[in-house]
């Protein structure tokens, strides 16, 4: 038992240190990396508590998917475009302090008003063994007593996904149809026709005779010497904010 | 704590790890030889008889090379990224059953390192973690091509891991377990269709053909092998995430890729082809033979198919494979309910 407590102490200490690293790191990627370390340590604590399924789900969902997407976004952003994390902004600092203290108070209140010692639930070790293990027990509970909350959560996530799709939709259907009907500018490079946010820029009125019907696909090709004739920004090279 | 079981599984883990590393080295040799044969070339044949010492020569060469850290690199992350890839790769082999329980010197020795009740999820979780090696390596190189490789890898792995996980749900429904040992046991009961006239093994490739195909495709993408090797596409990204790596750090990525291939092949053999189950005598040789089949399939794919275009890759995952995987889950669930008489 003491070995387990020792392992728990080590894992907890590393998790807390890594969590501190998230807010102290100068580079956003280092913050994300610290968060990975923290999550993995928390998952290891779940394993000590014999909640293997929760540990695996934590790793797969949080470190394997969500943080990868966070890193994806961080890597796409130029470092110079990020707001200054450790600079001035006194109002934000004071606000952060107040909100942090409020959050700390909430967590403390939650911890202090509850006790971990209480009536043991129906899932004793024997009961879990009887249904075949942790995963089976969890599955039975989730899909018998908690069917409605699970369905509600699923519905909520579906709504959120559809909402994100609607928000990210570039244009009204009419504009998109117009964009689809215009020709592709072929420069031997796909960027010739791509605008911001993945919208295809409509081609400018072409000079007669330089459109060709490609053998495959339905869009006509506009042959151009230089993409600069069709776009506001230079086709080659970095896209800089003006 | 049961110390003798702990020590025996520790020793077994040591053996498995070393066998994996040795296999990995010779996997590169076999891949080069088979590719050469497929492309009407000779392949490595100068180092030792039939070129058999080639992997050792490669290893020595890579060890002796200078370890270059670019000036632009994020030094700490650059140095640990290959280690993340390499350390996580062989861990998945810990849950693969290489046999039942045998008795050695009066001790019961399990021919698997650990039988955890979420073994399949454990493998998926390690796959999800392994991508950090690639993403961080690409980011830390301080090179645009590497960064592009890292971005591609992030999107690819998130998409294909979804397919990989969903393709296995059918097996979970049929076997009622996430443990590889129990999934293996479930496959060893013979099926007797047509009133017992013939006996066929209950391998899940027979009851889950769609899941098998989806798993195979997603596994190739998950291990970054051709035709899904977009993160390192040498013709457009000059090697992608490992452009800036040299010497032994480069070979760590290389080793991780081959170990991942071996582990995924062992997984596919265990999950869908009955693992150690086979005619005449069950044993680890059947698992090896089935895994070798998958490894040859990998090489065959690499020599045959051109690389996907990036939008095709994502389109395939989200518009074709994912709906098919969901349909597979729904169908399997309905049939299972019908089989239990609940529908």
């Amino acid at each position: 038992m003491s070995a387990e407590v020792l392992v728990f102490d080590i894992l907890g200490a590393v998790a807390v240190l890594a969590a501190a690293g998230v807010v102290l790191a100068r580079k956003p990627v280092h913050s994300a990396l610290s968060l990975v370390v923290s999550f993995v340590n928390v998952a290891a604590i779940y394993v000590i508590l014999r909640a293997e399924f929760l540990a695996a789900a934590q790793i797969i969902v949080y470190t394997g998917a969500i943080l990868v997407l966070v890193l994806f976004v961080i890597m796409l952003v130029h470092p110079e475009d990020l707001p200054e994390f450790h600079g001035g902004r006194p109002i934000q600092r004071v606000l952060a302090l107040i909100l942090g203290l409020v959050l700390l108070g909430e967590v403390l209140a939650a911890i202090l008003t509850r006790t971990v010692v209480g009536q043991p639930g129906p899932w004793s070790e024997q009961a879990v063994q009887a249904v075949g293990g942790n995963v089976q027990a969890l599955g039975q509970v989730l899909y018998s007593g908690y069917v409605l909350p699970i369905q509600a959560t699923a519905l909520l996530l579906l709504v959120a996904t559809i909402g994100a799709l609607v928000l990210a939709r570039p244009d009204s259907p009419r504009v998109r149809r117009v964009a689809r009907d215009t020709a592709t500018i072929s420069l031997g490079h796909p960027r010739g026709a791509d605008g911001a946010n993945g919208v295809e820029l409509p081609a400018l009125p072409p000079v007669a005779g330089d459109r060709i019907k490609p053998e495959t696909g339905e869009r006509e090709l506009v042959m151009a010497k230089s993409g600069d004739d069709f776009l506001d920004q230079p086709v080659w090279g970095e896209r800089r904010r003006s | 704590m049961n110390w003798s079981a702990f020590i025996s599984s520790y020793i077994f883990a040591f053996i498995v790890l070393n066998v994996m590393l040795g296999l990995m080295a010779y996997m590169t040799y076999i891949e080069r030889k088979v590719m050469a044969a497929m492309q009407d070339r000779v392949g490595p044949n100068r180092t030792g008889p039939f070129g058999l010492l080639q992997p050792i020569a490669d290893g020595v060469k890579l060890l002796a090379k200078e370890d270059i850290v670019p000036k632009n690199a994020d030094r700490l992350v650059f140095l640990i990224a290959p280690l993340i890839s390499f350390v996580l790769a062989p861990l998945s082999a810990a849950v693969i059953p290489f046999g039942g329980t045998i008795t050695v010197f009066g001790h019961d020795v399990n021919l698997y390192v650990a039988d955890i009740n979420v073994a399949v999820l454990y493998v998926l979780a390690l796959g999800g973690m392994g991508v950090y090696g690639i993403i961080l390596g690409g980011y830390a190189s301080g090179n645009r091509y590497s960064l592009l490789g890292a971005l591609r890898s992030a999107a690819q792995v998130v998409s294909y891991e979804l397919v990989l996980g969903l393709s296995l749900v059918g097996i979970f429904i049929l076997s009622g377990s996430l443990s590889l040992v129990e999934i293996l046991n479930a496959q060893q009961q013979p099926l007797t269709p047509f009133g017992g006239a013939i006996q066929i093994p209950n391998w899940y490739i027979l009851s889950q053909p769609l899941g098998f195909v989806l798993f195979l495709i997603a596994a190739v993408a998950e291990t970054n092998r051709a035709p899904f090797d977009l993160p390192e596409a040498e013709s457009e990204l000059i090697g992608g995430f490992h452009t800036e790596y040299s010497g032994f750090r480069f070979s760590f990525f290389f080793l991780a890729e081959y170990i991942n291939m071996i582990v995924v092949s062992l997984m596919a053999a265990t999950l869908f082809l009955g693992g150690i189950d086979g005619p005449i005598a069950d044993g680890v040789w059947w698992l090896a033979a089935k895994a070798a089949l998958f490894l040859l399939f990998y090489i065959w794919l690499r020599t045959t198919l051109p690389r996907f275009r990036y939008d095709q890759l994502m389109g395939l995952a989200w518009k074709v494979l994912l709906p098919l995987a969901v349909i597979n889950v729904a169908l399997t669930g309905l049939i299972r309910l019908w089989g239990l008489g609940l529908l």
Side-chain angles (χ1 to χ4, degrees):
Chain A
M1 196 62 204
S2 65
E4 253 174 41
V5 173
L6 181 71
V7 172
F8 170 80
D9 286 346
I10 295 172
L11 290 172
V14 175
V16 170
L17 283 179
V22 175
V23 281
L24 293 178
R26 297 255 154 189
K27 288 185 185 169
V29 171
H30 291 179
S31 289
L33 205 55
S34 301
L35 204 53
V36 172
V37 175
S38 185
F39 279 162
V40 171
N41 277 281
V42 172
I45 292 174
Y46 292 155
V47 173
I48 296 181
L49 297 172
R50 305 283 149 79
E52 298 93 349
F53 182 79
L54 200 58
Q58 158 107 356
I59 299 263
I60 291 174
V61 175
Y62 284 98
T63 53
I66 292 179
L67 268 172
V68 168
L69 292 180
V70 169
L71 273 176
F72 188 92
V73 174
I74 290 175
M75 288 193 298
L76 274 180
V77 178
H78 278 285
E80 58 262 32
D81 289 350
L82 288 170
E84 187 72 37
F85 278 132
H86 299 273
R89 311 200 178 198
I91 301 173
Q92 287 187 357
R93 286 187 150 190
V94 172
L95 266 181
L97 187 68
I98 296 169
L99 288 177
L101 284 176
V102 169
L103 190 63
L104 191 68
E106 274 182 32
V107 172
L108 275 180
I111 292 174
L112 292 177
T113 54
R114 277 183 180 75
T115 162
V116 277
V117 185
Q119 285 295 319
W123 291 100
S124 64
E125 210 156 305
Q126 288 79 23
V128 170
Q129 283 303 319
V131 291
N134 214 322
V135 185
Q136 284 84 349
L138 197 65
Q140 285 195 1
V141 172
L142 283 182
Y143 284 95
S144 57
Y146 291 90
V147 172
L148 199 62
I150 284 213
Q151 297 292 334
T153 315
L155 199 66
L156 196 68
L157 288 174
L158 187 67
V159 169
T161 313
I162 294 172
L165 281 178
V166 170
L167 287 179
R169 201 172 61 167
D171 288 307
S172 69
R174 196 185 55 80
V175 178
R176 271 185 291 142
R177 204 176 309 120
V178 170
R180 196 164 55 228
D181 289 343
T182 52
T184 302
I185 309 168
S186 174
L187 293 164
H189 191 278
R191 195 150 167 201
D194 287 349
N197 307 325
V199 188
E200 286 196 351
L201 295 177
L204 293 178
V207 188
D210 56 358
R211 281 183 175 228
I212 52 169
K213 182 88 181 126
E215 278 179 38
T216 56
E218 46 202 44
R219 251 188 251 142
E220 286 186 320
L221 289 176
V222 176
M223 303 307 286
K225 285 260 163 51
S226 159
D228 300 344
D229 303 343
F230 291 88
L231 300 174
D232 296 334
Q233 287 174 314
V235 171
W236 298 98
E238 285 300 304
R239 191 172 287 258
R240 289 263 175 242
R241 231 166 256 175
S242 51
Chain B
M1 194 173 215
N2 185 355
W3 283 104
S4 83
F6 182 73
I7 290 170
S8 73
S9 82
Y10 188 85
I11 293 170
F12 188 68
F14 184 76
I15 295 170
V16 168
L17 180 64
N18 282 290
V19 169
M20 296 282 288
L21 291 177
L23 277 179
M24 181 279 312
Y26 275 88
M27 185 62 210
T28 62
Y29 170 78
I30 292 167
E31 173 164 37
R32 291 169 73 174
K33 272 292 189 192
V34 173
M35 274 181 71
M38 286 180 176
Q39 293 168 343
D40 205 9
R41 293 186 284 116
V42 179
N45 67 345
R46 295 285 144 159
T47 331
F50 309 107
L52 271 172
L53 297 178
Q54 187 67 42
I56 297 164
D58 285 345
V60 171
K61 182 197 78 171
L62 284 167
L63 263 177
K65 274 193 167 182
E66 187 187 352
D67 182 20
I68 301 168
V69 181
K71 195 179 158 199
N72 225 355
D74 187 337
R75 193 178 163 84
L76 180 69
V77 181
F78 185 83
L79 294 183
I80 60 170
L83 301 181
I84 296 176
S85 266
F86 179 64
V87 167
L88 290 174
L91 285 183
S92 303
V95 292
I96 289 170
F98 294 95
T101 306
I102 56 168
T103 307
V104 181
F105 303 126
H107 289 284
D108 283 344
V109 176
N110 295 323
L111 288 184
Y112 43 81
V113 179
D115 172 25
I116 54 178
N117 61 4
V118 288
V120 181
L121 292 185
Y122 165 82
V123 174
L124 291 179
L126 283 176
M129 290 293 295
V131 68
Y132 276 103
I134 293 176
I135 294 179
L136 294 175
Y139 154 78
S141 296
N143 172 329
R144 292 287 156 87
Y145 291 112
S146 303
L147 189 65
L148 279 174
L151 287 174
R152 285 181 174 188
S153 178
Q156 177 178 332
V157 169
V158 167
S159 311
Y160 277 88
E161 194 161 82
L162 219 55
V163 178
L164 197 68
L166 277 176
S167 70
L168 297 177
V169 174
I171 290 187
F172 304 154
I173 294 174
L174 291 179
S175 68
S177 174
L178 295 179
S179 151
L180 275 174
V181 174
E182 279 177 39
I183 288 174
L184 191 62
N185 287 340
Q187 292 184 71
Q188 280 172 343
Q189 279 113 36
L191 281 183
T192 47
F194 313 118
I198 51 165
Q199 255 198 4
I200 53 168
N202 183 23
W203 293 356
Y204 284 132
I205 188 176
L206 300 173
S207 43
Q208 288 284 320
L210 183 57
F212 175 68
V213 172
L214 293 173
F215 177 84
L216 215 54
I217 296 172
V220 176
E222 187 79 4
T223 47
N224 278 331
R225 291 282 301 180
F228 297 106
D229 54 348
L230 272 294
E232 49 177 282
E234 71 275 358
S235 52
E236 32 184 326
L237 292 184
I238 334 179
F241 64 93
H242 58 54
T243 304
E244 297 290 353
Y245 281 94
S246 57
F248 220 65
R249 290 189 195 279
F250 165 73
S251 69
F252 273 152
F253 279 128
F254 204 66
L255 301 178
E257 180 179 321
Y258 280 85
I259 293 177
N260 277 330
M261 274 167 68
I262 296 174
V263 167
V264 160
S265 301
L266 288 171
M267 280 282 290
T270 307
L271 284 168
F272 287 99
L273 290 185
I276 55 164
D277 189 27
I280 304 170
D282 290 359
V284 73
W285 40 86
W286 283 112
L287 181 63
K290 290 163 187 169
L293 211 64
F294 285 113
L295 289 171
L296 284 177
F297 177 72
Y298 264 105
I299 302 172
W300 184 30
L301 274 185
R302 182 176 165 189
T303 49
T304 310
L305 293 179
R307 188 175 296 126
F308 271 82
R309 213 174 58 211
Y310 189 65
D311 57 325
Q312 292 172 333
L313 177 90
M314 299 309 277
L316 180 69
W318 290 99
K319 293 180 192 160
V320 181
L321 298 181
L322 199 64
L324 281 177
V326 173
I327 289 172
N328 186 40
V329 171
L331 273 182
T332 312
L334 284 176
I335 289 170
R336 176 83 176 138
L337 279 179
W338 181 63
L340 291 173
L342 293 171
L343 201 69

